[in-house]
Amino acid sequence: MLEVSDIHSFYDKSHVLMGVSLEVRDGELVTLLGRNGAGKTTTLKSIMGVVPPRSGRISFAGTEMTKMKSFQIARRGLCLVPEQRDIFSILTVEENLQIAKNKNSPWGIPDVYKLFPKLNERRQNPGNNLSGGEQQMLAIARALVNGPKLLILDEPTEGLAPVIVQEIVAILKDIKNTGIPVLLVEQNINVCEKLADRHYVLEQGRVVYSGTQEEFAANKAVKDRYLALQTN
Amino acid sequence: MTLYLFQVLNGLGLGMIYFLIAVGLSIIFGLLNFVNFAHGAFFLLGSYFCYQVVALTGNFWLSLLIAPVIVGAIAWFAESNLLNRVYNLPHAFQILITLGMALVIQESAIMVWGTVGKNIAVPDLLQGIVQMGDFAYPIYRLFVISFSAVIALLLWLLLERTRFGALVRAGSENTEMVSLLGVNIFKLFSITFGLGATLAGLAGVLAAPLRGADPFMGAEILGIAFVVVVIGGMGSFTGALVGGLLVGLVQSIMSSLWPPGVHLMIYGSMALVILIRPYGLFGRA
């Protein structure tokens, strides 16, 4: 499905991604792990054309996307749920969904209200009246009505209460079961191990580990070296 | 008393024309995030195109339809071929290029129509006055007020009740997220710029029978439009409406109370608003 090969991305002159390669296959949920500043969000932004890579290739379903603009990439079915959620605060919940609505999506607006009943209660509320959890739900709902062929999530459980995290994990499982591949950036390893088929670990702009869930679960050394808090 | 009623009505008409200009300036600033210095020139083009259509066909109604559309088309073309090249550059470049456009339009108007202003007659249907007791008021001015009010209502519905309007509002907040939803943001920019210019052109047509067309009306109205937008708040529809009416009323009432102080009071009211609400009456930080 998605193939990223050897991309190099920059913020002005600072070289952030130094040859990242990864792959998400049909129906897979793949996580991208790593410490803060490892380049996870930049990798997602490069895939979406927000920070276009200066070299390397990105293709999706056989189509080369490296030179495409964000909206063209989004139209091919890559839907990003950004880290800041980026809910439109002056639009109502309903309007946030309406502007994202794509008639080819398997999810209509009533469907996502069924999935997130809280959003239904708040449909006429403006985005800036929502709690963090509700904003995250709306961000995921917005991506679903947009018709994802690959769903990309940047730390969806960050800063949320444990109950809400469970709810989000359940929803992600449901989404995965529909067969839509997911690329997930997440700090919460428990969440990752519950959901993922495969993992990639980034460190200083490079992929330093990749493996299946079974391999990763058994490999304490990788977790200690790249993911545990450094205590020195 | 009738004198004040007369001036209030004048102020409302003037204010609605100011609203039509300022609302486009304000929406363009909100979405495209730059100040369009060519906006006054679109008003000027509206008036001259009105003059030209009336001179050729004798039909004011035709000009009311055609002139704003041509102005919008010119603005659309300029945005999608010239302005779109400077969006990634610092603000100074956008000011430079729109100011340049304003000067090119102004000088072109002088070349085509000369430096002396042109008069446009009030259409036959709207000539004359309405008489109510001892109070008389020109029909055309009542038409300007009611016609602009209808346009304002349609524009409000467009911005608040349609997907296009929601996209414009969403884009004013976060253009990147809008394009991540698969929306061609560049097309949205062009349409919005064209729409704003069409409204300025429409204001030019409505104002033409009242004040004529002259080559310097663009620069003059741009100053007023800035005041309206600063008073109302950048990017706000309601702000442009309230600001436009406020400036129109101040200008009209002061011109009978204390004519030399008209401009002082307009800028004074702007200063007062900035002191109390730095982002304007309806602006957001």
Side-chain angles (χ1 to χ4, degrees), chain B residues 2 5 14 28 40 43 57-58 82 96-97 108 171 186 195 251 256:
Chain B
T2 52
L5 182 58
L14 205 55
I28 289 170
F43 173 74
T57 68
L82 192 63
L96 195 64
I97 205 157
S108 307
F186 305 102
L195 174 69
Q251 179 172 346
S256 61

Side-chain angles (χ1 to χ4, degrees), chain A residues 72-228:
Chain A
Q72 294 166 318
I73 294 171
R75 280 184 186 180
R76 307 246 159 197
L78 276 76
C79 291
L80 174 69
V81 178
E83 192 175 2
Q84 308 301 326
R85 286 101 194 218
D86 290 346
I87 295 305
F88 301 108
S89 67
I90 52 171
L91 269 58
T92 62
V93 167
E94 180 92 7
E95 286 176 325
N96 266 282
L97 294 171
Q98 269 165 0
I99 61 168
K101 199 175 72 180
N102 174 349
K103 57 182 182 303
N104 297 322
S105 171
W107 286 275
I109 294 180
D111 301 319
V112 295
Y113 281 145
K114 239 176 258 164
L115 219 47
F116 302 104
K118 267 189 201 147
L119 294 182
N120 194 16
E121 289 164 26
R122 295 187 138 279
R123 56 204 289 176
Q124 293 310 326
N125 287 62
N128 57 3
N129 274 6
L130 303 182
S131 70
E134 288 165 340
Q135 285 193 9
Q136 188 61 58
M137 289 173 192
L138 180 53
I140 294 174
R142 187 174 61 180
L144 293 181
V145 298
N146 203 222
K149 296 199 170 72
L150 169 70
L151 187 62
I152 303 178
L153 299 122
D154 196 350
E155 306 210 16
T157 69
E158 188 189 20
L160 300 182
V163 191
I164 316 258
V165 172
Q166 278 176 15
E167 211 172 314
I168 302 258
V169 169
I171 295 285
L172 292 182
K173 252 185 202 155
D174 287 350
I175 293 170
K176 189 191 160 186
N177 289 338
T178 65
I180 291 176
V182 178
L183 177 58
L184 174 67
V185 163
E186 184 55 68
Q187 299 272 10
N188 183 335
I189 298 218
N190 284 333
V191 169
C192 295
E193 296 203 300
K194 262 184 223 157
L195 292 169
D197 300 302
R198 288 191 303 117
H199 303 275
Y200 288 92
V201 178
L202 275 183
E203 173 86 356
Q204 295 187 343
R206 292 184 178 85
V207 174
V208 290
Y209 172 85
S210 71
T212 63
Q213 164 58 21
E214 292 74 33
E215 290 164 358
F216 180 74
N219 193 334
K220 190 169 179 307
V222 167
K223 291 185 209 170
D224 284 347
R225 182 156 173 210
Y226 297 114
L227 303 173

Side-chain angles (χ1 to χ4, degrees), chain B residues 54-121:
Chain B
V54 171
L56 289 174
T57 68
N59 191 336
F60 175 81
W61 303 103
L62 190 65
S63 80
L64 189 61
L65 191 70
I66 287 181
V69 173
I70 301 177
V71 174
I74 291 173
W76 174 304
F77 182 80
E79 194 282 339
S80 45
N81 290 286
L82 192 63
L83 279 174
N84 64 354
R85 293 167 196 269
V86 298
Y87 288 146
N88 293 326
L89 299 175
H91 273 14
F93 290 85
Q94 290 138 15
I95 294 174
L96 195 64
I97 205 157
T98 52
L99 196 58
M101 263 167 64
L103 290 174
V104 168
I105 291 172
Q106 176 181 315
E107 295 305 307
S108 307
I110 292 177
M111 279 171 61
V112 177
W113 291 289
T115 45
V116 182
K118 303 283 187 190
N119 287 320
I120 293 100

Side-chain angles (χ1 to χ4, degrees), chain B residues 12 18 26 37 42 47 50 66 70-72 88 96 98 122 143 149 157 165 206 227 238 242 250 269 275-276:
Chain B
L12 286 179
Y18 291 163
S26 189
F37 277 79
F42 296 145
S47 288
C50 171
I66 287 181
I70 301 177
V71 174
N88 293 326
L96 195 64
T98 52
V122 171
F143 164 76
L157 288 172
L206 291 174
V227 172
T238 321
V242 173
V250 167
S269 53
L275 277 176
I276 303 166

Side-chain angles (χ1 to χ4, degrees), chain B residues 71-258:
Chain B
V71 174
I74 291 173
W76 174 304
F77 182 80
E79 194 282 339
S80 45
N81 290 286
L82 192 63
L83 279 174
N84 64 354
R85 293 167 196 269
V86 298
Y87 288 146
N88 293 326
L89 299 175
H91 273 14
F93 290 85
Q94 290 138 15
I95 294 174
L96 195 64
I97 205 157
T98 52
L99 196 58
M101 263 167 64
L103 290 174
V104 168
I105 291 172
Q106 176 181 315
E107 295 305 307
S108 307
I110 292 177
M111 279 171 61
V112 177
W113 291 289
T115 45
V116 182
K118 303 283 187 190
N119 287 320
I120 293 100
V122 171
D124 290 341
L125 195 63
L126 301 176
Q127 272 181 1
I129 52 166
V130 185
Q131 189 80 43
M132 283 175 289
D134 60 350
F135 179 70
Y137 198 74
I139 296 174
Y140 182 74
R141 285 177 181 264
L142 289 176
F143 164 76
V144 168
I145 298 174
S146 40
F147 185 80
S148 318
V150 171
I151 296 291
L153 179 68
L154 291 176
L155 186 63
W156 183 84
L157 288 172
L158 177 70
L159 290 173
E160 294 294 326
R161 292 285 179 269
T162 67
R163 185 170 185 271
F164 168 78
L167 284 173
V168 169
R169 283 177 289 136
S172 318
E173 194 174 334
N174 186 342
T175 44
E176 188 179 290
M177 192 60 226
V178 172
S179 48
L180 284 172
L181 295 174
V183 175
N184 185 345
I185 197 83
F186 305 102
K187 205 165 126 195
L188 188 64
F189 281 4
S190 306
I191 295 173
T192 306
F193 194 80
L195 174 69
T198 305
L199 292 169
L202 183 64
V205 175
L206 291 174
L210 297 175
R211 58 155 350 266
D214 70 77
F216 307 105
M217 63 193 291
E220 185 187 316
I221 204 78
L222 185 67
I224 300 270
F226 281 150
V227 172
V228 170
V229 171
V230 169
I231 288 179
M234 282 282 192
S236 162
F237 171 92
T238 321
L241 185 60
V242 173
L245 291 176
L246 190 71
V247 172
L249 286 171
V250 167
Q251 179 172 346
S252 166
I253 292 168
M254 287 311 295
S255 65
S256 61
L257 281 183
W258 183 37

